[in-house]
Amino acid sequence: MPKLNIALFYGGKSVEHEVSICSAVNVFDSLDKKKYNVFTIFIARNGKWYLRKSVKASKGQIEVMPLLNARYNIVSAPSYKKKIALKIDIAFPVIHGPNGEDGTIQGLFELMNIPYVGCSVAASALSMEKHISKIIAQKCGIPVLPHVMVNGFFDFDLGKIKKTVKKWGYPVFVKPVRLGSSVGVTKVNRESGLKKAILRALKFDTDVIIEKGVKDAREIVCGVLGGGKEKTKSSLCGEVRLFNVEFYDYKTKYLDSKSHELATPADLPKKMARVLREKSVEFFNAIGGTGFARIDYMLDKNASKYYFCEINTIPGFTDESLFPALWEKTGLKFSEALDKAVKIALSNASHKKNLKTNPFK
Ligand SMILES: Nc1ncnc2c1ncn2[C@@H]1O[C@H](COP(=O)(O)OP(=O)(O)O)[C@@H](O)[C@H]1O
Ligand SMILES: [Mg+2]
């Protein structure tokens, strides 16, 4: 089989820009260079695209742009003197959060008519929406925590929210609906902190979710791989163990390695581990997921109750990240997991190519 031209897209107009670069380094290193020519397309914070020699090599980068349905699908920007034209066989978005994990860039790849690794437009978009993904979780019989929504386009009724939250009891978590890496998330321990937390989350998103908190929550994660023709499989469950921090916030995730550790497999009753793995597969299939995802749960202290927290359709792939570690422990090297995701993307694309686009022919 000839080598495939695979293009990594990373960086992005997202608060998770830096994390994406670290993920892209790992994906670049793990993709088998005997099978793939790997191109690295950095997306700057202003949204411009640059072809780089390697993930972090900004020197000599060339501004590029996409072409729709063309022989060459990545070309140098008109302003750029030296002309280049590339034919990409498959795109691999490694962008967390808005404009990368939410179906937007996936939509562009659809229009460019190139296969892409990971979830479809729809599966990506609904996974990004914390409240919509909870509705699907419920349909799959996965418990979710009580929550209320605030829409930033309208004035919110703080009194009504306070009344609802009082019934649940504190703490509650206030979060932007379509973000990640705990950006804009606040743990609210008392009523007086509610308004400030809502206003803070509204700085990052037009919609905010206020969710009942699980006291002394255990955070359990499960990786999935598959979709399309490939039967979805789950990884072992892992646990993020926190030390002396209020919750798994941005600082804990990326800046303070001493405040947490990853335990794989998570120390769970066998039945709970089995249920979480089965439900992860069921959920991924329910959203029509393709490629990979990490599904996160909250457990109570005794591991007797579990709740859906969120799904990440482009989970972190950094050295510190859970997804590669979960699969390694399950017996699949990260490079093999990536191969599988590429294979799934190609088989989906060839299946879609045969679909009719004209009702009369
Ligand atoms: N309902 C909850 N109960 C307890 N902790 C929570 C709850 N919701 C969020 N958290 C804490 O906040 C973190 C970030 O929330 P999450 O919903 O995963 O958002 P993000 O997409 O930013 O990762 C979680 O990892 C957890 O530490
Ligand atoms: Mg999370």
Side-chain angles (χ1 to χ4, degrees):
M1 197 172 148
K3 268 193 183 186
L4 283 176
N5 282 355
I6 186 162
L8 301 188
F9 291 80
Y10 60 99
K13 271 170 83 175
S14 158
V15 291
E16 294 176 274
H17 182 94
E18 270 75 30
V19 185
S20 158
I21 296 172
C22 297
S23 285
V25 169
N26 251 9
V27 173
F28 182 86
D29 290 346
S30 304
L31 280 168
D32 186 346
K33 309 299 180 301
K34 285 195 212 100
K35 295 183 187 157
Y36 313 113
N37 295 314
V38 187
F39 295 92
T40 44
I41 298 181
F42 170 70
I43 305 182
R45 283 189 185 280
N46 64 8
K48 287 194 177 181
W49 290 15
Y50 296 95
L51 178 68
R52 288 183 167 180
K53 287 220 166 72
S54 65
V55 173
K56 290 187 174 172
S58 59
K59 209 171 149 216
Q61 62 186 13
I62 300 168
E63 191 185 339
V64 291
M65 49 180 256
L67 286 186
L68 306 189
N69 276 310
R71 183 156 161 238
Y72 296 103
N73 36 34
I74 302 285
V75 294
S76 42
S79 57
Y80 199 79
K81 267 187 254 135
K82 198 173 141 200
K83 299 290 168 223
I84 62 146
L86 284 182
K87 165 91 179 75
I88 297 300
D89 298 311
I90 180 161
F92 191 150
V94 191
I95 304 171
H96 314 298
N99 301 312
E101 194 175 348
D102 58 356
T104 50
I105 202 163
Q106 289 77 6
L108 178 61
F109 297 143
E110 291 281 351
L111 297 175
M112 287 170 76
N113 209 10
I114 48 174
Y116 54 95
V117 175
C119 281
S120 67
V121 174
S124 304
L126 63 87
S127 295
M128 197 71 209
E129 309 260 350
K130 288 200 194 309
H131 59 313
I132 297 176
S133 55
K134 281 181 203 296
I135 295 170
I136 298 168
Q138 276 177 302
K139 288 249 175 212
C140 296
I142 306 173
V144 303
L145 288 153
H147 53 276
V148 288
M149 302 293 298
V150 168
N151 182 324
F153 291 119
F154 302 100
D155 288 339
F156 55 91
D157 185 342
L158 188 63
K160 201 169 156 198
I161 295 171
K162 281 180 178 168
K163 257 193 206 157
T164 307
V165 171
K166 205 169 187 175
K167 278 190 225 143
W168 305 338
Y170 286 84
V172 292
F173 283 78
V174 178
K175 325 184 228 189
V177 165
R178 314 167 189 89
L179 218 59
S181 290
S182 300
V183 174
V185 177
T186 310
K187 179 181 182 184
V188 179
N189 289 313
R190 56 190 70 82
E191 198 175 272
S192 58
L194 254 183
K195 187 175 175 188
K196 194 171 160 205
I198 295 169
L199 293 177
R200 178 161 178 259
L202 281 174
K203 287 202 174 125
F204 294 97
D205 202 342
T206 52
D207 297 281
V208 164
I209 183 165
I210 304 165
E211 184 176 274
K212 181 175 166 53
V214 177
K215 285 203 185 97
D216 304 317
R218 288 184 64 182
E219 303 198 25
I220 307 293
V221 299
C222 182
V224 287
L225 258 178
K229 274 193 205 155
E230 186 90 16
K231 195 164 177 254
T232 306
K233 296 214 168 96
S234 61
S235 74
L236 291 168
C237 293
E239 175 165 15
V240 183
R241 291 209 191 118
L242 303 176
F243 310 114
N244 305 319
V245 285
E246 281 276 308
F247 72 99
Y248 198 25
D249 60 3
Y250 188 92
K251 187 165 160 252
T252 311
K253 277 180 183 170
Y254 304 114
L255 308 172
D256 185 2
S257 57
K258 288 202 182 99
S259 60
H260 68 283
E261 68 176 19
L262 171 67
T264 353
D267 183 11
L268 290 175
K270 266 200 184 121
K271 189 175 166 213
M272 178 59 85
R274 201 186 65 232
V275 168
L276 295 181
R277 290 183 71 170
E278 284 171 5
K279 287 294 177 193
S280 297
V281 169
E282 200 180 329
F283 182 85
F284 192 66
N285 291 338
I287 61 161
T290 42
F292 40 65
R294 198 193 73 224
I295 300 168
D296 300 352
Y297 300 90
M298 295 280 157
L299 266 63
D300 65 346
K301 207 168 48 185
N302 314 317
S304 59
K305 287 189 184 133
Y306 73 101
Y307 306 95
F308 176 84
C309 178
E310 61 160 344
I311 173 171
N312 295 284
T313 51
I314 306 188
F317 296 133
T318 71
D319 273 346
E320 309 283 306
S321 296
L322 307 156
F323 185 87
L326 290 172
W327 281 107
E328 296 266 346
K329 274 279 165 140
T330 312
L332 195 71
K333 287 198 197 102
F334 186 43
S335 57
E336 292 169 331
L338 294 178
D339 274 347
K340 259 192 198 299
V342 170
K343 206 173 110 198
I344 292 165
L346 293 174
S347 112
N348 283 348
S350 75
H351 181 79
K352 268 164 78 178
K353 226 164 131 183
N354 295 326
L355 297 176
K356 278 168 84 122
T357 51
N358 184 329
F360 306 109
K361 274 189 194 162

